[in-house]
Amino acid sequence: MKKNLIIILLALIQFSAYSQDEKSYERLMALPIKKEIKKNGDVYLQGDFTQIITGTTNKKEILEETLEVLEIANAPHPSVGTIKKYLKEASKEFNVPFPIIDAIAKTYNNYCMIGPSEYGSYGIMGLVESEYSNNLSLSAKLINAKEDEVKSNPRQNIRAAAALLAYYGKGIKNSIDLMEWFEAVKEFTGLNDAFTKEMQAIDYYKVMNNGRNTITLWKENAEIKPINNLKISELINNYETKLESKNNLNRGATTGTVDYPSAIGAFTNCNFSGRGGRDIDTWVNHYIAVGTVAGAISHFRNCNAGASAHFIIAVDGKVYQSVKVASKAWHAGASGQPNNERSIGTEHDVTTSTPSNWNNTTMLKASTDLARYYCNKYAIPKTRSLPGIRGHKEMPGTSTDCPYTIPWTTWMNMLNNNTPPPTSNTPVPASPANGATNLLLPINFTYTSPVNAGAFRIQVSTSNSGWTAANGFTSNTDPNTTVVVNASINTNNYYWNETALGSFEGPKAGKTYYYTIRSWDATTGTSNYSAVRT
C-alpha cells in the first residue's frame, strides 16, 4: 500500500512506473557512491539517484514535487559505521545494551532514516507517535529535544530510542542480562496490542541472537553477528511453537479462522466489509514500504486506519491472515471502482530500504504458493491482466508506486511453473567496485543475493581467460597457477588475506585480480556466476 514517505533519504526512493523492472535493483547496486569524512570522523555517503527514481537525467522533464524529493534523496546519509558509533554512544549514555538497540536499528529499517510509516513510526529506530502510543514525544522529552529533531536527525533519533528503552527498563536490576529487557522492548515497539508488540520484540531478538547480514542502499555491508544466547533461543522457540499452534491462531482478535491451511491468524476486528455479491477474479500484490510485518498487522487493527489486506507475507515465508477471504479488505480502493470487491490483497515484507527482499526466494515461494491456491479456487486468470494478477498501482483509479520493484517475470514464472527462472539467483557484487585500486588489507568482498542462499562461492583469479558463467574461473578446488581464492562461504561478505578460508595465497601488491561470485539454495539449485569484476 502507498505510504506517505517523508524525512531524509534514499529510503524515500519511489521508482517511477517506467523504471520499475527486473533490473531496478541491479542498477541501484551499480551506482557510484561518494564518501565524505567529517572533522569529527563521522562518515557520510551520497549517491545521485535521479535516473533510478525518475527514469531520466534531464531535470527539465521532472516535476517540481519530484525535484524536491530528489533533493532529499540525493543528500548525504550517515554510513553504517557512523550509525553504529551513534548506537554505541547512546548505549553508554543511557546504560542500555548495545546488542538490543543495534538489532532494532538493523531490523526496523536496515540502518536508514525514514518515516513515517502508516502506523506513525519514524527514523532508524522506528519511534512511534500515534493514537496508541506517545513514544516519540516521550523520548524527545527524555533527551530534552524537539520532536522534529528526533524525527529527522539520525543521532538524536538513536539517543531518543536509547533513552526510551531505559525508561521502560528502569526496574531492571541486571542491565547486562538481555532477557531482562524483553518486556521493555515490547513497550518500546509502540504497537497497539499485545500480539503485535510481542511479535515485533521477538523479531528484534531473533536478529540479535541469530545475526543478519544485508547490503544497504549505499552498498555497505550491514552485519550483526550472532550471539547464540541459549536463553534467547529458548524464548524464540517457545514463541514459534505457540504462534504456530492451531489453538492460538486467533490471539489478539475476536473472530476468524484461517482460510489458507498454513496461515497464522492475525485477524482484525474492523477495516473490512462485505463484497456485495461480487465474484473474486483478481489478485493484488502490495509491499509494506515503511515499517515491519508486525507494524502492518497493528495498523490493520486500528479501526481508524481505514486500511487492511487479507494476507501479509514475511520475508521468512510465514503467511499471516488479517481478513477473511469472503470479506472485502480495504487495500486498493478507488472512487467508483470495484477494486476491493473483486480482489484478494496481499502485503509483502519489502520496504524502500530493503528492495532486495523482493528477490528472496523463500518469500516469493510463499507468495506464489498462496496466490496459486486462490487462483485455482476462484478461477483467477494466472496472467498479468484484469481480471488476473495485478500490482496495486495497476488497479483502476489508484495513484501509487506500490508494489515498488517487484520482479514480475520471476513472480509469474513461479506462480505458473512453481520454479523461478534458472538465472534468478545470480548474486550482485557490491564491493570492491569494478576497477578498484589501492585496496587496504584484508580485502573485503561484499555482495547481495536474490535468494535466501544457503551457500556462496567466491573465486579470485590472476587471469580473466577461461571464465564461464557456469563454472566461474574453474571448478578445481586445488591450488593452481591462476585461481588464488576458491572459497565456499555462507555469509554476504568475505575477507581475503593470507589465512582466509579457501584462499591459496594472500593478495599481492601490484597485482591485478578478477573476481566472481555465485549463490546457491536448495529451491533453485546452483546459479550462474556473477559477471567478472577487476
Side-chain angles (χ1 to χ4, degrees):
M1 293 183 179
K2 183 167 181 166
K3 311 294 175 183
N4 177 26
L5 303 184
I6 65 172
I7 315 296
I8 64 177
L9 49 105
L10 289 191
L12 287 167
I13 290 176
Q14 295 289 313
F15 287 71
S16 64
Y18 41 86
S19 67
Q20 288 190 25
D21 59 31
E22 300 291 313
K23 299 296 181 183
S24 294
Y25 183 65
E26 286 81 352
R27 288 202 301 270
L28 177 65
M29 294 304 296
L31 285 179
I33 300 296
K34 296 178 182 178
K35 180 167 74 172
E36 179 186 2
I37 302 177
K38 306 288 186 181
K39 289 182 179 180
N40 64 357
D42 291 354
V43 176
Y44 276 69
L45 303 173
Q46 187 174 15
D48 184 354
F49 294 82
T50 303
Q51 187 170 19
I52 284 187
I53 294 173
T54 67
T56 180
T57 56
N58 185 354
K59 299 248 177 120
K60 293 181 180 179
E61 298 177 2
I62 302 173
L63 297 175
E64 184 176 347
E65 56 265 33
T66 305
L67 288 172
E68 294 175 2
V69 171
L70 284 172
E71 183 179 356
I72 299 170
N74 293 339
H77 182 269
S79 68
V80 170
T82 296
I83 288 172
K84 284 188 177 267
K85 170 189 168 184
Y86 297 159
L87 289 165
K88 289 175 182 176
E89 290 173 347
S91 168
K92 184 176 180 181
E93 180 181 1
F94 297 101
N95 194 30
V96 296
F98 170 76
I100 292 179
I101 58 174
D102 189 27
I104 291 171
K106 173 67 178 171
T107 310
Y108 174 72
N109 203 33
N110 203 26
Y111 299 119
C112 292
M113 276 296 293
I114 188 173
S117 67
E118 285 203 346
Y119 56 93
S121 56
Y122 291 81
I124 293 169
M125 308 301 288
L127 292 169
V128 173
E129 190 70 18
S130 70
E131 61 193 283
Y132 295 98
S133 172
N134 65 345
N135 273 354
L136 188 141
S137 55
L138 172 59
S139 68
K141 290 178 182 177
L142 291 171
I143 63 168
N144 195 27
K146 295 180 179 179
E147 290 181 31
D148 285 346
E149 211 179 347
V150 172
K151 291 178 180 179
S152 62
N153 183 294
R155 184 170 178 270
Q156 291 293 71
N157 187 263
I158 289 169
R159 289 186 68 242
L164 183 68
L165 189 62
Y167 173 82
Y168 285 128
K170 56 191 172 186
I172 292 174
K173 295 180 181 179
N174 182 6
S175 63
I176 64 173
D177 187 342
L178 301 175
M179 284 290 293
E180 286 200 28
W181 289 89
F182 186 68
E183 293 300 319
V185 172
K186 284 165 63 174
E187 291 306 311
F188 172 91
T189 67
L191 301 182
N192 60 11
D193 61 81
F195 176 84
T196 52
K197 285 180 179 179
E198 183 181 27
M199 180 181 175
Q200 186 64 75
I202 285 288
D203 281 348
Y204 292 149
Y205 270 67
K206 277 183 183 177
V207 170
M208 178 171 58
N209 203 51
N210 302 334
R212 182 173 294 177
N213 192 3
T214 58
I215 303 297
T216 69
L217 290 171
W218 296 269
K219 297 182 287 187
E220 286 190 290
N221 195 53
E223 183 179 14
I224 287 183
K225 294 184 178 179
I227 62 174
N228 297 317
N229 182 299
L230 292 177
K231 289 184 178 179
I232 296 178
S233 296
E234 184 179 1
L235 171 73
I236 295 168
N237 289 337
N238 289 341
Y239 172 82
E240 296 285 357
T241 300
K242 180 174 62 173
L243 185 69
E244 296 181 8
S245 168
K246 297 302 180 183
N247 295 324
N248 288 281
L249 287 175
N250 303 319
R251 288 185 307 139
T254 58
T255 60
T257 301
V258 294
D259 298 308
Y260 186 62
S262 62
I264 297 167
F267 290 98
T268 176
N269 302 326
C270 50
N271 298 320
F272 63 88
S273 51
R275 291 187 180 271
R278 180 78 188 229
D279 289 338
I280 297 170
D281 65 8
T282 303
W283 181 271
V284 181
N285 283 328
H286 302 265
Y287 81 130
I288 289 173
V290 184
T292 63
V293 170
I297 294 170
S298 176
H299 181 61
F300 296 159
R301 291 179 169 189
N302 175 0
C303 294
N304 293 322
S308 63
H310 293 95
F311 298 99
I312 309 100
I313 302 176
V315 75
D316 64 1
K318 286 188 175 65
V319 177
Y320 298 86
Q321 183 168 7
S322 284
V323 175
K324 295 282 291 181
V325 170
S327 298
K328 176 178 74 173
W330 301 347
H331 61 98
S335 179
Q337 300 291 342
N339 293 350
N340 291 336
E341 286 83 353
R342 70 189 304 175
S343 65
I344 298 172
T346 299
E347 292 274 6
H348 294 79
D349 189 2
V350 182
T351 69
T352 48
S353 59
T354 56
S356 62
N357 281 6
W358 263 135
N359 296 318
N360 183 289
T361 299
T362 301
M363 185 187 73
L364 290 181
K365 185 176 186 305
S367 174
T368 50
D369 285 350
L370 177 69
R372 189 182 311 106
Y373 178 89
Y374 286 102
C375 285
N376 292 340
K377 183 172 183 176
Y378 293 106
I380 298 172
K382 297 175 188 173
T383 55
R384 295 278 288 115
S385 58
L386 183 69
I389 308 297
R390 298 277 82 184
H392 183 181
K393 71 172 187 173
E394 296 166 328
M395 294 302 287
T398 60
S399 177
T400 175
D401 287 315
C402 177
Y404 196 46
T405 53
I406 179 172
W408 276 116
T409 300
T410 300
W411 196 93
M412 292 300 297
N413 222 312
M414 293 180 74
L415 174 70
N416 285 294
N417 302 323
N418 202 20
T419 57
T423 60
S424 67
N425 53 343
T426 303
V428 181
S431 65
N434 196 28
T437 59
N438 300 320
L439 299 175
L440 297 177
L441 300 181
I443 296 175
N444 184 207
F445 296 88
T446 63
Y447 34 90
T448 184
S449 173
V451 300
N452 188 18
F456 298 92
R457 180 169 292 278
I458 179 169
Q459 293 188 339
V460 181
S461 178
T462 57
S463 170
N464 196 17
S465 63
W467 178 87
T468 68
N471 292 320
F473 296 116
T474 178
S475 58
N476 183 10
T477 58
D478 297 323
N480 60 45
T481 57
T482 60
V483 176
V484 291
V485 174
N486 191 10
S488 179
I489 47 186
N490 58 10
T491 62
N492 290 81
N493 69 316
Y494 176 80
Y495 290 92
W496 180 32
N497 56 22
E498 290 284 353
T499 60
L501 177 71
S503 89
F504 306 137
E505 65 178 52
K508 307 297 183 185
K511 275 194 175 183
T512 298
Y513 295 98
Y514 307 88
Y515 79 94
T516 182
I517 302 160
R518 72 156 208 223
S519 58
W520 177 91
D521 84 337
T523 303
T524 58
T526 301
S527 74
N528 290 346
Y529 279 88
S530 64
V532 177
R533 285 194 172 196
T534 305

